[in-house]
Amino acid sequence: MIDVEFVKRIALRYAVQNALKHGKAKPGPVINKVLGEYPELRAYAKDVVSIVNSVVDEVNRMSIDELKKLAEELGVSLEEKRVEEIRGLPPLPNVESWGYVKTRFAPNPDFVIHLGNARAAILSYEYAKMYRGSFVLRFEDTDPRIKTPLPEAYEMIKEDLRWLGIEWNEEYIQSMRMEYFYDIARKLIEVGGAYVDLCPPNTFREYRDKGRPCPHREEPIETQLERFDKMLEGSYGEGEAVLRVKTDLSHPDPSVRDWVAFRIIDTDKYPHPIVGDKYVVWPTYNFAAAVDDHLMGITHILRGREHAVNTVKQMFLYKHLNWRHPEVIHFGRLNLEGFILSKSKIKNLLRKGRGRFLGLDDIRFGTIASLRRRGILPETIRQLILELGVKPTDARISWDNVSALNRKIADKKCKRVFFIENPVKIELHNLSLPMEVKIRYHPSIDLGSRSYRITKPYIYIDRRDLEILKQNRMVRLMEFANIEFIDEKEDLVIAKVHSFDIGTAKKFNLQIVQWIPEEHSIKVTMYRSEGLRLRRIRGLGEKALQDLSVGEVVQFVRYGFGRIDRITSREVVVMYAHE
């Protein structure tokens, strides 16, 4: 039952605010505010309207002084919430008529999310934040047969969103809301907006394509309700009965004509990972999404242009139930050059290429988990999406642009470390041992440093740098010493320390090269993506890599950026991002 006194208190606050702002309170905006703040009251909408009308009448009989005094007692503020506009995002439509903003991100947990999905999530979240509204995360998992949910995907998607800096105010799983969908289905049937179709699919398709009604379309409501109950009881098998929403049979898009709202799925054969075989009658995407958008008080939906026909379909449902449809903003598709974003293609690759891929987050894919594992920072993805905004045209992002932006952001916050792909051993003469060497992690930003106690005169440099040493006779070892070439033997190069000061290096215009003390080196395996080819590069890194964290993005001097993927006592595994 509805708590009348509670609703009165909420309505009074908004009615007083509305009256002080406009001279007289109006029921519509107050109702919107109440249902927006407490969407669970939508199930009692008639009662709410009655209570609000009574409260508005009472408020409109008050003098201005009485209203001001009551506003002070209720803590009502007349100041508008300041909208902090985000660069690239235009204002949302019709915010004032709704009285609040509530957006949602509704992934299907049949796989992890990719960059295109992240666009909807980031935009929806940023708009909610921009208007100081609320943001809903809703898992749309009502197809256990075709788009079978992955048990691990629910948590993986949440992990991706958290990594992107997205927080949500409410969280729902549709498979746990089936009774709500059944109740709305009955209401839809009762108002003449839906019917149970017993025609074989091919037969219905013939009627549909000719713009003719199915024979079951106009049968009595009592008959439809009885058939729907039989569906729920399991009296029909798969394909024997569906519930359809009545639409325009002459609509130019045949898929819109009397679309399916519920179908039967044999959950003994296709059990759902959360509710098992408890239900056999499942709502389609368009029914479940439309109903939940209403029940949850969603005001604005941001989604891809490919959903435009779904918006058309859902409008019929809203019209039958006399609901206000949320504002819908469609944006174009997003492609990332050189990467696979399609869930079905990635699934197919994983299925056929077992052993060839590193899992759902393989760095050759365009999933958020893959980009994260590769070393792309969340700030990079957010900035890319916000710069694209809500343009209706398709967008194609080049990897060069992603790399350039990520490099710009990472350069100021990532530690710089040494990695040598083709190590050459050097014996250093004229070196007083033991000695301590301290090397900064960044030349101009305080990111700390690492220290090495050197007791042996052996170091490694890259073979390319050896050629520079031989040609120029001298080089500077970064943040350590200036060395001079003496001789090259079969497996050892002889050099001597000329000096330590940077002034000498500048005087002789010495090339600065990276180096690793032999006693402080560790094996490094780096995975580098080249299309669908994964190259494994082996080399040496400095031992300080073991002191870093798994997941940390670092800059390998003169080589590129990468992310620490795994650390053991003998090896560090790195996923290469870009130069």
Side-chain angles (χ1 to χ4, degrees), residues 358-508:
L358 304 176
L360 299 179
D361 56 355
D362 189 291
I363 62 173
R364 288 165 284 187
F365 302 148
T367 66
I368 295 301
S370 300
L371 294 171
R372 177 172 73 246
R373 189 177 186 186
R374 187 184 180 113
I376 301 302
L377 297 171
E379 299 94 325
T380 300
I381 294 174
R382 287 202 303 270
Q383 189 168 326
L384 281 169
I385 296 304
L386 292 176
E387 286 177 357
L388 285 173
V390 291
K391 299 181 181 71
T393 52
D394 292 346
R396 189 171 184 85
I397 301 176
S398 74
W399 181 245
D400 287 343
N401 287 344
V402 176
S403 303
L405 180 56
N406 198 65
R407 187 182 305 113
K408 180 180 177 182
I409 295 171
D411 184 63
K412 298 176 181 178
K413 62 188 300 182
C414 295
K415 294 174 180 175
R416 297 184 181 183
V417 291
F418 299 151
F419 167 74
I420 296 173
E421 183 176 349
N422 299 298
V424 175
K425 190 173 181 179
I426 294 181
E427 181 179 8
L428 284 180
H429 292 186
N430 197 25
L431 191 63
S432 180
L433 299 176
M435 69 183 304
E436 294 284 337
V437 179
K438 186 176 181 180
I439 307 171
R440 293 172 296 170
Y441 277 121
H442 198 287
S444 57
I445 299 172
D446 185 9
L447 298 179
S449 60
R450 65 278 200 196
S451 296
Y452 293 123
R453 178 174 172 79
I454 300 176
T455 64
K456 300 176 182 179
Y458 300 106
I459 66 166
Y460 292 106
I461 67 170
D462 196 274
R463 183 162 295 279
R464 291 177 303 171
D465 294 331
L466 172 61
E467 296 307 313
I468 296 172
L469 173 60
K470 288 162 61 177
Q471 181 178 340
N472 298 341
R473 309 306 293 179
M474 287 179 66
V475 296
R476 177 168 178 80
L477 304 180
M478 189 173 289
E479 298 214 21
F480 177 36
N482 309 310
I483 66 171
E484 189 174 349
F485 177 78
I486 296 176
D487 193 13
E488 181 178 13
K489 297 182 180 179
E490 188 174 330
D491 57 354
L492 186 66
V493 174
I494 308 297
K496 70 175 182 178
V497 173
H498 175 280
S499 52
F500 290 96
D501 61 298
I502 189 68
T504 299
K506 289 180 178 178
K507 177 182 176 182
F508 290 103

Side-chain angles (χ1 to χ4, degrees), residues 66-333:
E66 288 174 322
L67 284 172
K68 288 180 177 178
K69 183 179 179 181
L70 185 55
E72 188 175 343
E73 292 173 0
L74 296 173
V76 171
S77 172
L78 299 183
E79 292 183 8
E80 290 292 327
K81 290 181 178 178
R82 186 168 62 92
V83 175
E84 297 178 2
E85 291 195 15
I86 298 170
R87 182 167 59 91
L89 296 186
L92 288 174
N94 299 321
V95 171
E96 190 172 328
S97 66
W98 283 94
Y100 68 100
V101 168
K102 192 172 189 180
T103 62
R104 50 79 161 173
F105 175 55
N108 186 329
D110 63 332
F111 204 64
V112 292
I113 59 175
H114 54 61
L115 189 61
N117 305 136
R119 185 181 190 184
I122 290 169
L123 291 174
S124 299
Y125 171 68
E126 291 295 345
Y127 266 123
K129 194 167 67 169
M130 178 170 146
Y131 285 93
R132 298 185 184 179
S134 54
F135 174 67
V136 173
L137 171 61
R138 185 175 74 217
F139 289 105
E140 298 190 336
D141 60 346
T142 60
D143 188 350
R145 182 178 57 185
I146 305 299
K147 294 190 174 182
T148 310
L150 296 176
E152 64 272 25
Y154 297 84
E155 196 54 48
M156 291 179 75
I157 289 171
K158 289 195 284 185
E159 182 184 345
D160 287 343
L161 295 177
R162 291 189 191 103
W163 178 74
L164 287 167
I166 293 173
E167 300 173 352
W168 49 98
N169 305 97
E170 302 168 29
E171 181 180 329
Y172 301 95
I173 297 176
Q174 284 189 332
S175 60
M176 300 176 71
R177 297 173 54 78
M178 298 291 280
E179 301 303 328
Y180 290 104
F181 300 137
Y182 295 158
D183 287 345
I184 298 298
R186 289 190 179 92
K187 289 179 183 177
L188 188 61
I189 294 171
E190 287 168 359
V191 299
Y195 64 97
V196 175
D197 172 22
L198 301 179
C199 293
N202 288 339
T203 302
F204 173 80
R205 201 172 294 116
E206 290 178 9
Y207 287 122
R208 182 199 68 182
D209 292 348
K210 294 176 182 177
R212 293 171 52 195
C214 156
H216 307 292
R217 194 178 200 261
E218 301 304 331
E219 290 181 331
I221 288 173
E222 294 75 16
T223 302
Q224 307 294 356
L225 288 169
E226 182 181 342
R227 285 177 182 159
F228 185 65
D229 285 336
K230 283 186 175 181
M231 286 177 67
L232 297 178
E233 292 163 4
S235 299
Y236 302 108
E238 281 192 2
E240 293 180 357
V242 295
L243 182 73
R244 294 186 179 277
V245 175
K246 291 183 181 179
T247 68
D248 179 2
L249 292 176
S250 62
H251 193 280
D253 185 343
S255 74
V256 173
R257 300 173 191 172
D258 287 13
W259 54 269
V260 174
F262 283 84
R263 74 287 203 207
I264 296 165
I265 295 176
D266 183 354
T267 43
D268 283 332
K269 188 175 180 181
Y270 306 103
H272 193 283
I274 291 182
V275 294
D277 60 357
K278 184 177 180 180
Y279 303 104
V280 294
V281 179
W282 289 85
T284 58
Y285 162 78
N286 276 306
F287 185 89
V291 167
D292 267 351
D293 284 338
H294 172 73
L295 294 181
M296 294 172 188
I298 304 301
T299 63
H300 294 78
I301 300 169
L302 294 106
R303 60 188 179 191
R305 202 178 59 220
E306 66 271 17
H307 285 283
V309 70
N310 292 328
T311 301
V312 173
K313 292 178 179 180
Q314 292 168 16
M315 287 285 194
F316 285 98
L317 173 63
Y318 272 70
K319 188 174 181 181
H320 286 310
L321 294 170
N322 199 28
W323 293 346
R324 180 180 179 181
H325 197 279
E327 314 297 328
V328 182
I329 298 97
H330 292 119
F331 44 77
R333 285 182 175 273

